Amino acid sequence: MRSSQFFLPTLRENPAEAEIVSHRLMLRAGMVRQASAGIYSWLPLGFKVLKNVERIVREEQDRAGCQEVLMPTIQSADLWRESGRYDAYGKEMLRIKDRREREMLYGPTNEEQITQIFRDSIRSYREVPKMLYHIQWKFRDEVRPRFGVMRGREFLMKDAYSFDMDYEGARRAYNKFFVAYLRTFARMGMRAIPMEADTGPIGGNLSHEFIVLADTGESQVYCDREFLDFDVLGKDINYADPAAVEKVVNHFTSLYARTDEKNDQAAFEQQVPEARRYVGRGIEVGHIFYFGTKYSEPLKAQVQDKDGNPVTIHMGSYGIGVSRMPAAIIEASHDDNGIIWPETVAPFRVGLINIKVDDKAGTAMAEDIYAKLNNAGVEVLYDDRDERAGAKFAEMDLIGLPWQLVVGPRGAAKGQVEMKNRKTGEKVELSVDAVLQRLGA
Ligand code: P5A
């Protein structure tokens, strides 16, 4: 993509309404724009990141054996009356009437909807267990939408649901999601720590929040630093082996990690040696629940067991804040100059800057590199505009692409390009061939 053609409305000044760094940087880098309170449009740069987050979430759900579906955003009030949540949900639910005066709602979550689908389609224990997910927009009329897409009213969630014959089965499903979540966040360059949590309006008695440590997070957390050393990606997890999955889960659940609401200071101090205690802030990026028969009971989601007896299905639900993710990543990865994208979610892998567009040799070199990277399938944003070099550098740092290539008249004369690592700031002078080789092109 050429910067001269790309829709990238960056801002020089800090927007006054942005209180935290990710909101500021997402507006400044032209990633999102507010439509109304807590409701955002995603512009090309932001949308690319959102799609990358979605892709990683999807790959890890699929790997764990979860199947993708797509349920609607609009649901019927009657379905929610069956579970008793239509009244219980209160003002956070956006309620709508259609032209026939039928009561509808914009879904804040999909437990009822998926339970209805299951109930109407599955009859026998032979078809269980099942795990289903979708990635769909939600609406929650939050009292205080704030921090941009971090706490929106309309937001994109990955929500998954598991169906099992009994508690043991449901626990195996819970463990799979637990591990899939560790992997998902690690692939985005983040360490999310599972913490025992309250279940709120979703219900049930077993629940973990996945929290990314960041100073600006909304949650206060107390945990064991040991978490930070565990490598979840280094080990290939075999989801078909429940014992192997359970082992990973047990490692984490044996370590102390609680948010404010659940913290027991005496237990924290007793269980965690002083040198290993971490007290700080965090961002909730995921939340998993086991709630047994809370929805299957009132919605009568039953299957026949081996002996033909009806069994009420045991369920869990598992959420990731997909549209919160880009903001959470920025909170965890930025510097004074802007965003620092991990390679896996970066909107482009490479930013190519041509310092002086009226220099023949430099421009020929930049065009050559651009063509070769494109041919090799390396995503590159090529700043080919007639702008001041300083402004180009500042914008590249702001939008945070992992690698910057700088071509100028002096280097071009020697056949050299400067390659900068956005994260470390390290710069090296290389030939075009060497640059392409380093980028795998
Ligand atoms: C689990 C999946 C649920 O809704 N039902 C289906 C369960 N859980 S949750 O904790 O309420 O939400 C799951 C994740 O969604 C993100 N999230 C939000 N993101 C942006 N703006 C919001 N207002 C918002 N509310 C929730 C969080 O990452 C949360 O962990």
Side-chain angles (χ1 to χ4, degrees):
M1 176 60 69
R2 289 173 187 271
S3 295
S4 57
Q5 282 155 36
F6 194 46
F7 180 55
L8 183 66
T10 57
L11 308 173
R12 286 255 166 73
E13 306 297 324
N14 277 326
E17 73 269 28
E19 293 172 60
I20 59 171
V21 67
S22 59
H23 189 195
R24 218 156 37 230
L25 289 173
M26 288 182 84
L27 290 171
R28 282 195 51 209
M31 291 178 64
V32 293
R33 284 294 182 264
Q34 184 177 301
S36 39
I39 303 179
Y40 288 84
S41 301
W42 291 76
L43 307 187
L45 193 80
F47 194 53
K48 275 170 146 306
V49 176
L50 190 65
K51 288 282 153 195
N52 287 338
V53 167
E54 249 188 59
R55 175 178 46 77
I56 293 172
V57 168
R58 183 173 280 121
E59 282 172 8
E60 292 301 327
Q61 293 296 294
D62 293 347
R63 189 198 300 270
C66 200
Q67 300 174 43
E68 189 168 13
V69 298
L70 183 57
M71 292 178 271
T73 55
I74 306 294
Q75 305 180 30
S76 99
D78 284 342
L79 180 60
W80 282 65
R81 288 202 175 94
E82 285 189 54
S83 72
R85 275 210 293 184
Y86 189 62
D87 294 325
Y89 223 96
K91 281 190 175 282
E92 253 182 49
M93 179 184 278
L94 180 64
R95 296 154 203 265
I96 324 165
K97 273 191 187 148
D98 70 9
R99 67 201 298 161
R100 296 196 171 82
E101 295 288 308
R102 266 198 288 258
E103 290 174 287
M104 315 287 283
L105 58 101
Y106 195 116
T109 178
N110 291 66
E111 279 80 8
E112 284 80 356
Q113 186 123 72
I114 199 86
T115 307
Q116 182 188 42
I117 292 170
F118 184 91
R119 168 184 79 188
D120 295 346
S121 334
I122 304 263
R123 298 269 166 267
S124 159
Y125 71 93
R126 287 193 206 89
E127 299 163 86
V128 179
K130 281 277 176 297
M131 302 191 292
L132 303 170
Y133 75 99
H134 73 161
I135 299 175
Q136 178 62 291
W137 293 91
K138 307 286 185 276
F139 193 92
R140 294 181 184 174
D141 206 348
E142 302 267 351
V143 189
R144 221 178 323 130
R146 55 181 183 161
F147 304 154
V149 296
M150 189 76 93
R151 181 165 294 283
R153 293 198 298 163
E154 189 180 67
F155 60 97
L156 189 60
M157 192 198 288
K158 183 287 298 180
D159 40 325
Y161 304 88
S162 66
F163 303 90
D164 285 270
M165 295 301 287
D166 49 28
Y167 169 76
E168 287 69 34
R171 187 62 219 233
R172 283 194 290 275
Y174 189 92
N175 288 348
K176 286 185 187 176
F177 283 102
F178 193 109
V179 171
Y181 277 31
L182 293 171
R183 288 184 53 89
T184 301
F185 300 125
R187 283 186 60 189
M188 296 176 198
M190 284 184 304
R191 245 174 300 222
I193 298 180
M195 308 213 181
E196 285 176 39
D198 286 332
T199 55
I202 306 296
N205 51 22
L206 171 65
S207 159
H208 284 89
E209 279 176 24
F210 286 74
I211 304 239
V212 168
L213 302 182
D215 295 339
T216 47
E218 291 185 283
S219 319
Q220 175 75 22
V221 303
Y222 304 80
C223 72
D224 192 329
R225 282 183 195 279
E226 280 279 293
F227 277 109
L228 306 175
D229 294 333
F230 193 87
D231 176 16
V232 281
L233 295 178
K235 303 172 181 55
D236 209 5
I237 308 276
N238 179 9
Y239 285 106
D241 177 1
V245 176
E246 194 182 343
K247 207 171 142 215
V248 178
V249 174
N250 285 345
H251 169 79
F252 282 94
T253 50
S254 69
L255 296 170
Y256 191 96
R258 311 259 176 94
T259 59
D260 229 1
E261 300 133 22
K262 287 265 183 185
N263 185 43
D264 171 346
Q265 194 61 24
F268 179 48
E269 286 171 18
Q270 196 205 340
Q271 287 175 36
V272 189
E274 197 169 351
R276 279 180 17 199
R277 280 178 215 154
Y278 176 92
V279 178
R281 310 292 295 177
I283 301 166
E284 180 199 323
V285 288
H287 200 160
I288 63 177
F289 303 82
Y290 164 73
F291 44 72
T293 58
K294 179 178 171 184
Y295 302 92
S296 49
E297 177 96 49
L299 271 79
K300 300 189 184 60
Q302 297 181 332
V303 297
Q304 289 195 335
D305 70 7
K306 282 193 182 69
D307 306 318
N309 299 317
V311 172
T312 301
I313 215 80
H314 283 247
M315 291 176 59
S317 74
Y318 313 88
I320 292 180
V322 173
S323 57
R324 172 178 287 187
M325 227 57 238
I329 296 168
I330 294 172
E331 290 295 334
S333 181
H334 66 269
D335 63 15
D336 289 346
N337 298 326
I339 302 166
I340 303 173
W341 291 116
E343 294 227 11
T344 50
V345 295
F348 298 92
R349 204 165 146 228
V350 179
L352 171 62
I353 296 177
N354 182 8
I355 297 186
K356 210 167 177 315
V357 293
D358 52 12
D359 177 68
K360 261 206 175 135
T363 298
M365 190 180 202
E367 291 287 338
D368 179 46
I369 295 172
Y370 181 57
K372 285 179 172 147
L373 288 175
N374 274 330
N375 284 339
V378 177
E379 285 221 277
V380 50
L381 181 66
Y382 169 29
D383 197 338
D384 58 343
R385 296 169 305 170
D386 187 9
E387 292 271 350
R388 279 188 311 112
K392 292 186 174 187
F393 290 135
E395 183 174 286
M396 270 310 171
D397 277 353
L398 172 66
I399 67 172
L401 310 182
W403 298 101
Q404 293 175 11
L405 300 177
V406 181
V407 176
R410 233 171 348 110
K414 297 183 289 179
Q416 300 267 293
V417 188
E418 183 187 277
M419 184 173 188
K420 175 177 139 181
N421 180 314
R422 173 68 182 89
K423 187 171 173 181
T424 62
E426 191 195 340
K427 292 176 183 171
V428 282
E429 291 264 326
L430 297 168
S431 69
V432 173
D433 283 347
V435 163
L436 296 173
Q437 200 188 7
R438 285 206 182 189
L439 293 169

